[in-house]
Amino acid sequence: MGEYYDIIVVGAGPAGLTAALYGLRAGKSVLVLEASGYGGQIVNADKLENYPGIDMISGFDFATNLYNQVKKLGGVVKYREVLKIDEDKTVHTARESFRAAAVIIATGARNRELGLARERELVGRGVSYCATCDGNFFKGRTVAVVGGGNTALEDAVYLSDVAEKVYLIHRRDTFRGEMGYVKELEEKDNVEFILNSTVKALNGDIMLKSIDIDDGKGQISTLPVDGLFVAVGREPVSRCFANVVRLDDAGYIMAGDDVHTGTPGIYVAGDVRVKELRQLVTAVSDGSIAAMTAVREMKPQDN
Ligand code: NAP
């Protein structure tokens, strides 16, 4: 049958941990299931300067404070990947299953991969998805950033102050990100744009040594680089819940009234849901609303 909790939260990012915090403060038993480490994407933010009421804090410290709040109130956090949720709110992991009166899905979004051979194998060996986390390993070296959105542009700006040379590779000739960043990069001597081009292969035995680039006209050239920063957007972690929630074309969970999935007792919070603004402040807002809605809608027999 599996252990029973009033609320199971799937995902220990800011949305999930806030949901847990509010559920616990309402007197409910709460289990948080997390596939990797707590904190979600925010742990990669070097400095948070736009969270109301806090002048500046690192993403890691913010997440740790929130995690400790949950633990202090008796929240149970288990590191398990959730494989499936049943309509009756049984939550399955590879090792065991759990039951709950309410389930809050807060699995967030993860970095999109390029989908190249050896991409995963070379993570930490030259390939990275986080310039602020790994940029310092490339002091005085040559790196490339792939992507044309604000993340890629910001990463290129950040890396231009660390690395000796930065290539910015984008598949089109115009950027999706802000012109201000583009102008800033154009003025830097150590930044070179490689436009209308895609990365086709990653080369190197143990460490990344070079990348093959397709110029879109059939010409492939090899560019020696020590690091490749992939910044081609994010995708929601939602596919395995498609049996109990509805997904939009991009895979985000459709939410009525912000947190209702359409399946009674199953709610959604944070970056994994369809929403206008994916920010820390909206993630924690979702978490609190999802938990309070779950508590309000819990039937007496659920307790
Ligand atoms: P994004 O805006 O979706 O941009 C992703 C970029 O990657 C696009 O330029 C896209 O090319 C390219 N791309 C996608 N798949 C690719 C593939 N397989 N191969 C090569 N290129 C690929 O993602 P983001 O930059 O991570 O930003 C996400 C959101 O956060 C955006 O709304 C952004 O404005 C926001 N953000 C804001 C700030 C800020 O305000 N300071 C900072 C970071 C992010 P195409 O353009 O051709 O589609």
Side-chain angles (χ1 to χ4, degrees):
M1 284 288 281
E3 272 172 51
Y4 175 87
Y5 292 84
D6 294 325
I7 301 173
I8 293 178
V9 179
V10 187
L17 289 175
T18 303
L21 180 67
Y22 273 70
L24 290 161
R25 288 179 64 90
K28 302 299 176 191
S29 60
V30 177
L31 168 67
V32 181
L33 293 169
E34 164 60 47
S36 47
Y38 70 77
Q41 301 163 71
I42 205 67
V43 297
N44 297 330
D46 200 22
K47 288 186 210 160
L48 285 175
E49 293 179 311
N50 62 355
Y51 193 84
I54 298 179
D55 182 38
M56 203 270 279
I57 187 169
S58 75
F60 180 75
D61 285 348
F62 181 90
T64 302
N65 290 346
L66 187 50
Y67 174 82
N68 288 339
Q69 272 179 300
V70 168
K71 294 295 286 181
K72 202 164 133 189
L73 288 174
V76 179
V77 180
K78 292 183 191 261
Y79 292 93
R80 313 266 196 283
E81 184 181 1
V82 171
L83 303 176
K84 188 168 178 272
I85 301 171
D86 294 339
E87 229 171 282
D88 70 358
K89 288 154 278 168
T90 304
V91 177
H92 301 280
T93 71
R95 271 198 244 171
E96 67 242 276
S97 300
F98 303 93
R99 292 173 309 113
V103 177
I104 298 172
I105 301 173
T107 40
R110 66 176 151 227
N111 294 314
R112 184 176 292 132
E113 297 175 354
L114 289 172
L116 296 173
R118 306 196 54 225
E119 185 172 349
R120 289 189 185 177
E121 185 190 323
L122 288 168
V123 170
R125 299 167 182 271
V127 173
S128 169
Y129 298 84
C130 178
T132 51
C133 318
D134 299 329
N136 269 330
F137 296 122
F138 298 90
K139 230 173 223 156
R141 309 185 78 181
T142 298
V143 299
V145 176
V146 196
N150 276 326
T151 304
L153 297 176
E154 274 190 359
D155 285 359
V157 170
Y158 177 82
L159 290 165
S160 68
D161 291 331
V162 178
E164 180 166 302
K165 174 86 186 177
V166 179
Y167 295 101
L168 178 58
I169 303 166
H170 180 36
R171 64 185 178 183
R172 294 186 297 122
D173 64 354
T174 52
F175 291 99
R176 189 178 286 274
E178 289 170 25
M179 258 330 274
Y181 289 131
V182 178
K183 287 216 168 77
E184 191 177 341
L185 289 166
E186 279 170 345
E187 282 163 16
K188 291 192 176 253
D189 292 338
N190 66 340
V191 176
E192 192 176 319
F193 292 174
I194 303 180
L195 302 178
N196 296 312
S197 300
T198 49
V199 180
K200 284 291 175 208
L202 309 173
N203 312 312
D205 291 336
I206 298 169
M207 303 294 288
L208 182 72
K209 289 271 186 289
S210 67
I211 54 180
D212 289 352
I213 296 174
D214 183 338
D215 71 356
K217 296 177 200 138
Q219 280 293 329
I220 307 276
S221 56
T222 299
L223 184 71
V225 293
D226 303 301
L228 178 71
F229 288 85
V230 180
V232 296
R234 297 203 180 103
E235 50 195 14
V237 182
S238 61
R239 298 284 174 201
C240 59
F241 311 129
N243 61 316
V244 281
V245 299
R246 284 176 306 125
L247 306 180
D248 75 359
D249 290 344
Y252 289 96
I253 296 175
M254 320 254 279
D257 276 352
D258 287 353
V259 296
H260 286 101
T261 62
T263 303
I266 300 183
Y267 307 86
V268 62
D271 280 10
V272 71
R273 80 169 173 92
V274 172
K275 67 197 297 192
E276 280 292 316
L277 183 66
R278 292 194 173 82
Q279 287 276 306
L280 177 60
V281 74
T282 64
V284 301
S285 165
D286 280 4
S288 64
I289 298 170
M292 294 322 286
T293 307
V295 168
R296 193 176 62 241
E297 293 180 353
M298 233 173 247
K299 297 186 194 81
Q301 68 266 29
D302 290 335
N303 290 297

